[in-house]
Amino acid sequence: MPTKSKNENLRVVLVSTRNPLNIGAVARAMSNFGFDQLCVVNPYEKAFREAKSAVGAADLLAHAKEFPTVAEAVAGCSLVVGTTAVRHRELHHTVRRLEPAARLIKKHSLSNNVALLFGSEKYGLSNDDMSHCNWLLRIPTIDRNISMNLGQAVAVCLYELIREGRTITKEKTTLKLASAEEMERITTLLLDVLHGSGFLKRRQVSDAYARIRRVVRRLNWPERDATVWTGMLRQILWKLRKGGPPEG
Amino acid sequence: MPTKSKNENLRVVLVSTRNPLNIGAVARAMSNFGFDQLCVVNPYEKAFREAKSAVGAADLLAHAKEFPTVAEAVAGCSLVVGTTAVRHRELHHTVRRLEPAARLIKKHSLSNNVALLFGSEKYGLSNDDMSHCNWLLRIPTIDRNISMNLGQAVAVCLYELIREGRTITKEKTTLKLASAEEMERITTLLLDVLHGSGFLKRRQVSDAYARIRRVVRRLNWPERDATVWTGMLRQILWKLRKGGPPEG
């Protein structure tokens, strides 16, 4: 999870956004990933007003800042990164894939302000908008369909900024596996059940026991379930030994 | 960039989605990242029909498949992963963060089918939906606002699946796992055996079936052993139904 201060240094700048649903979606993704500096440049008048009532990120939208120009929106930032779907727009700028781009942005935002620019739904950033950028980033979409929905593009970029890098600490939620003794207890009960049901009599092979033992161990038995499996097998064994007509 | 075949092994399953805009957005993100297997389970009638006219991913939507149940939508998959915003929903399942979860999914999808389930906008996946899952994943949103927009959540998950990580080498040692149908067959037989033995009678709990389904799915059943387990259970069931004194 990122520190608060790091995220405060990054502002999301939406340039000429048309659709209020998209502004709302951007605000929601920012809220999900812990970013709260939203700037809009020259939005379609109505779009920004309507977005303010969008669910899920009301606070963030209420504090969003509106600017008439890109220059004013990025004032105070020492790194300005534009987003583009296009790979080779007569390359005036370096274009970086999102993964390495995010590493540079994260490093920079530790102690400096960074602006991340997204263009309009239809045209993206203009050459003039891009002229304010130090470099561009692109999300690695496939060639057949490079154009992403604005809200989804922002969500993916912000996720990449907060995702854990290589030093991921193991999560505690990993299943603890049953011990060898527990597995042996299950194996023994299963063998008794298989005897009781006639299974082992019908398939007489020399290494039946070892086979069953291997079959049991190829499953990864979670420790938490060892007791319930043991309970099931005990009950089945009891019923087989008791004989008589089935109850269930 | 992933190979075509790997992405073909992953299907996105939307359960009880209400909003046609969201189905359209999901299809667009899938198209952006090169996934084309979309299944919808029990969508609001109108939603699915309207989504079919959504821009950007018409082909994909035209080939989307509709199913009445989760079981049918995940048939043929040997790994079923549910998505959740909640961290500790009385944890019946292991919950993994998206980053390590995606590594497991990528590895698995090299040679097996995987289903990734997303619940309805309002309620997410139900406990019953989740009982079909091997484990759950969560996107690392911040605590203050854990609930993501459906289209954005799908975009972020698929991005994580295609982003460049450390180069994943094919592991020859990976066991091919049993499919969802095989696991369901084992579950059904086990339930019959548990009925026959009186196990389910003695422990009457409201969600006994879902519990057993989860317990079965927490084990990793290798495909090669599915037949022998099925055979054991059939024999036990036969013996329980026949009654009479034990032979073994």
Side-chain angles (χ1 to χ4, degrees):
Chain A
M1 202 57 47
T3 62
K4 183 97 170 67
S5 61
K6 198 175 69 182
N7 288 358
E8 270 175 358
N9 288 343
L10 186 121
R11 69 184 77 158
V12 172
V13 180
L14 303 181
V15 185
S16 309
T17 308
R18 286 158 174 268
N19 185 339
L21 286 176
N22 283 337
I23 299 182
V26 166
R28 184 163 177 186
M30 291 178 66
S31 164
N32 286 141
F33 293 126
F35 295 85
D36 55 9
Q37 307 291 317
L38 175 61
C39 302
V40 290
V41 175
N42 187 28
Y44 279 61
E45 184 73 36
K46 212 166 133 254
F48 191 40
R49 214 169 48 232
E50 284 183 19
K52 289 210 173 191
S53 63
V55 287
D59 254 24
L60 203 151
L61 282 165
H63 293 101
K65 288 175 193 147
E66 195 176 345
F67 296 95
T69 64
V70 171
E72 286 159 279
V74 303
C77 293
S78 52
L79 175 62
V80 179
V81 178
T83 52
T84 180
V86 182
R87 282 135 173 80
H88 307 284
R89 196 204 283 261
E90 308 145 19
L91 281 183
H92 299 305
H93 280 86
T94 302
V95 180
R96 296 187 161 91
R97 259 179 82 118
L98 176 56
E99 302 92 328
R103 279 198 293 277
L104 294 175
I105 293 171
K106 278 200 276 193
K107 205 169 140 185
H108 199 93
S109 67
L110 288 173
S111 47
N112 296 276
N113 290 324
V114 179
L116 188 53
L117 269 61
F118 293 85
S120 79
E121 293 90 339
K122 197 157 181 185
Y123 305 107
L125 293 169
S126 69
N127 279 330
D128 191 59
D129 300 333
M130 287 190 196
S131 71
H132 295 274
C133 298
N134 296 88
W135 42 266
L136 307 176
L137 77 73
R138 69 173 185 85
I139 297 171
T141 48
I142 63 168
D143 291 339
R144 259 181 303 134
N145 185 0
I146 58 172
S147 168
M148 284 193 76
N149 163 277
L150 178 59
Q152 291 175 318
V154 172
V156 165
C157 288
L158 297 184
Y159 165 73
E160 177 66 38
L161 285 170
I162 64 94
R163 85 183 277 288
E164 278 177 343
R166 250 174 285 181
T167 48
I168 296 175
T169 47
K170 275 216 175 179
E171 282 199 53
K172 282 164 286 174
T173 49
T174 312
L175 275 185
K176 199 168 178 215
L177 293 181
S179 67
E181 300 97 287
E182 284 165 321
M183 273 192 286
E184 188 56 26
R185 199 174 309 134
I186 289 172
T187 309
T188 307
L189 277 166
L190 179 64
L191 283 168
D192 287 347
V193 164
L194 294 178
H195 262 298
S197 72
F199 182 86
L200 288 176
K201 212 181 230 170
R202 286 185 49 205
R203 291 165 189 72
Q204 285 188 338
V205 285
S206 58
D207 61 343
Y209 280 62
R211 278 185 191 219
I212 298 297
R213 187 166 279 116
R214 283 197 301 269
V215 164
V216 168
R217 276 160 186 72
R218 274 200 288 270
L219 300 178
N220 289 319
W221 299 83
E223 186 185 44
R224 57 185 284 196
D225 291 336
T227 314
V228 69
W229 284 106
T230 310
M232 288 184 205
L233 288 165
R234 283 221 176 94
Q235 174 79 21
I236 295 166
L237 187 60
W238 173 84
K239 183 72 185 168
L240 286 170
R241 287 191 173 152
K242 178 172 163 273
E247 296 167 20
Chain B
M1 201 56 48
T3 61
K4 183 98 171 66
S5 60
K6 196 176 73 181
N7 288 359
E8 272 174 358
N9 287 344
L10 186 122
R11 69 184 74 155
V12 172
V13 180
L14 303 181
V15 186
S16 309
T17 308
R18 284 155 174 270
N19 186 339
L21 286 175
N22 283 336
I23 300 182
V26 167
R28 184 164 176 186
M30 291 179 66
S31 164
N32 286 141
F33 293 127
F35 295 84
D36 55 10
Q37 306 290 318
L38 175 61
C39 301
V40 290
V41 176
N42 187 28
Y44 280 60
E45 183 74 35
K46 212 167 132 253
F48 192 39
R49 215 168 48 232
E50 282 183 18
K52 289 210 172 188
S53 63
V55 287
D59 253 24
L60 202 152
L61 282 166
H63 293 101
K65 287 175 195 146
E66 196 176 346
F67 296 95
T69 65
V70 170
E72 286 159 279
V74 304
C77 293
S78 51
L79 175 62
V80 180
V81 178
T83 52
T84 180
V86 181
R87 282 131 173 85
H88 308 284
R89 197 203 280 262
E90 307 147 18
L91 284 180
H92 298 308
H93 281 86
T94 301
V95 180
R96 295 188 162 90
R97 258 181 81 119
L98 176 56
E99 303 93 328
R103 279 198 294 276
L104 294 175
I105 292 171
K106 280 200 273 192
K107 201 168 142 185
H108 199 92
S109 66
L110 289 173
S111 46
N112 296 275
N113 290 323
V114 180
L116 188 53
L117 268 62
F118 294 85
S120 79
E121 293 90 337
K122 197 157 181 186
Y123 305 106
L125 293 170
S126 70
N127 279 329
D128 194 59
D129 299 334
M130 287 190 194
S131 73
H132 293 274
C133 298
N134 297 87
W135 43 266
L136 307 175
L137 75 74
R138 70 173 184 84
I139 296 172
T141 48
I142 64 167
D143 291 339
R144 258 181 305 132
N145 185 359
I146 58 173
S147 167
M148 284 192 76
N149 163 276
L150 178 59
Q152 291 176 319
V154 172
V156 166
C157 288
L158 297 183
Y159 165 72
E160 178 66 39
L161 286 170
I162 64 95
R163 85 182 279 287
E164 275 177 348
R166 278 169 285 170
T167 47
I168 303 170
T169 48
K170 270 211 182 190
E171 279 190 58
K172 277 165 288 177
T173 49
T174 311
L175 274 184
K176 195 155 189 231
L177 294 180
S179 67
E181 297 98 295
E182 284 165 322
M183 276 190 282
E184 188 59 22
R185 200 174 305 132
I186 289 172
T187 308
T188 307
L189 277 166
L190 179 63
L191 284 169
D192 286 346
V193 164
L194 294 177
H195 262 297
S197 72
F199 182 86
L200 288 177
K201 214 181 230 169
R202 287 186 47 204
R203 291 165 189 72
Q204 284 188 338
V205 285
S206 56
D207 62 341
Y209 281 64
R211 277 185 191 218
I212 298 295
R213 186 170 279 116
R214 285 195 301 266
V215 163
V216 169
R217 275 157 186 75
R218 274 199 288 266
L219 300 178
N220 289 317
W221 300 83
E223 187 185 44
R224 57 185 284 196
D225 292 336
T227 315
V228 68
W229 282 106
T230 310
M232 288 183 205
L233 288 165
R234 282 221 177 93
Q235 175 78 22
I236 296 166
L237 188 59
W238 173 83
K239 183 70 186 171
L240 285 171
R241 286 189 173 156
K242 179 172 161 275
E247 296 166 21

